[in-house]
Amino acid sequence: MTAPSYWRERKYRYRLIAKYCRNCDKKYYPPRLVCLRCGNDKLEEVELPRKGTLITYTWVTQPPNEFAAYAPYAIGLIKLDDGTLIFAQLTDVDYEELREGLRVEAVFRKNV
Ligand SMILES: [Zn+2]
């Protein structure tokens, strides 16, 4: 990553920042520049709640090469407390603990 792109994107790191269309009351995560419903290009930034509920999940045992060191790992679809759906890696959880409806909280880590 270049220094200019690091500074440009720094506020999005370690936070769940979405774009919000006031016309449609619709949030986009990952953020978009234009609303898919109405074409509004004046979307506002909003921080999403960090807590939510696990909707569904799966274990990845055959990841792409760049993620091979992390395998096996779980990924899941999470409904945040404001209703926004996000797809994320699930960490700090054992195989036996994972279940639909599990309460989860976002954590952010530096990739080193
Ligand atoms: Zn819209």
Side-chain angles (χ1 to χ4, degrees):
M1 171 177 296
T2 63
S5 66
Y6 174 82
W7 286 103
R8 191 170 48 247
E9 298 169 7
R10 71 186 184 282
K11 71 178 170 184
Y12 298 106
R13 296 183 183 277
Y14 317 116
R15 296 168 65 198
L16 291 174
I17 303 293
K19 289 285 190 165
Y20 173 68
C21 178
R22 189 171 293 278
N23 297 341
C24 302
D25 193 29
K26 169 94 175 123
K27 293 177 186 170
Y28 292 99
Y29 186 84
R32 297 187 52 85
L33 293 175
V34 177
C35 177
L36 289 174
R37 289 183 178 167
C38 73
N40 178 8
D41 63 356
K42 307 250 183 314
L43 303 182
E44 303 167 24
E45 290 185 350
V46 292
E47 187 162 3
L48 297 173
R50 296 172 74 110
K51 294 184 177 177
T53 303
L54 184 60
I55 302 298
T56 189
Y57 65 93
T58 189
W59 282 90
V60 178
T61 58
Q62 304 279 319
N65 288 339
E66 59 267 33
F67 295 102
Y70 304 106
Y73 58 87
I75 54 175
L77 182 65
I78 297 152
K79 186 174 190 177
L80 297 175
D81 286 347
D82 70 345
T84 305
L85 294 172
I86 68 168
F87 193 69
Q89 183 177 352
L90 304 168
T91 62
D92 303 323
V93 66
D94 292 327
Y95 180 83
E96 302 81 30
E97 293 177 87
L98 278 179
R99 59 177 168 72
E100 293 175 10
L102 182 69
R103 292 290 293 164
V104 293
E105 180 172 2
V107 294
F108 298 89
R109 296 185 175 144
K110 289 183 180 178
N111 253 350
V112 290

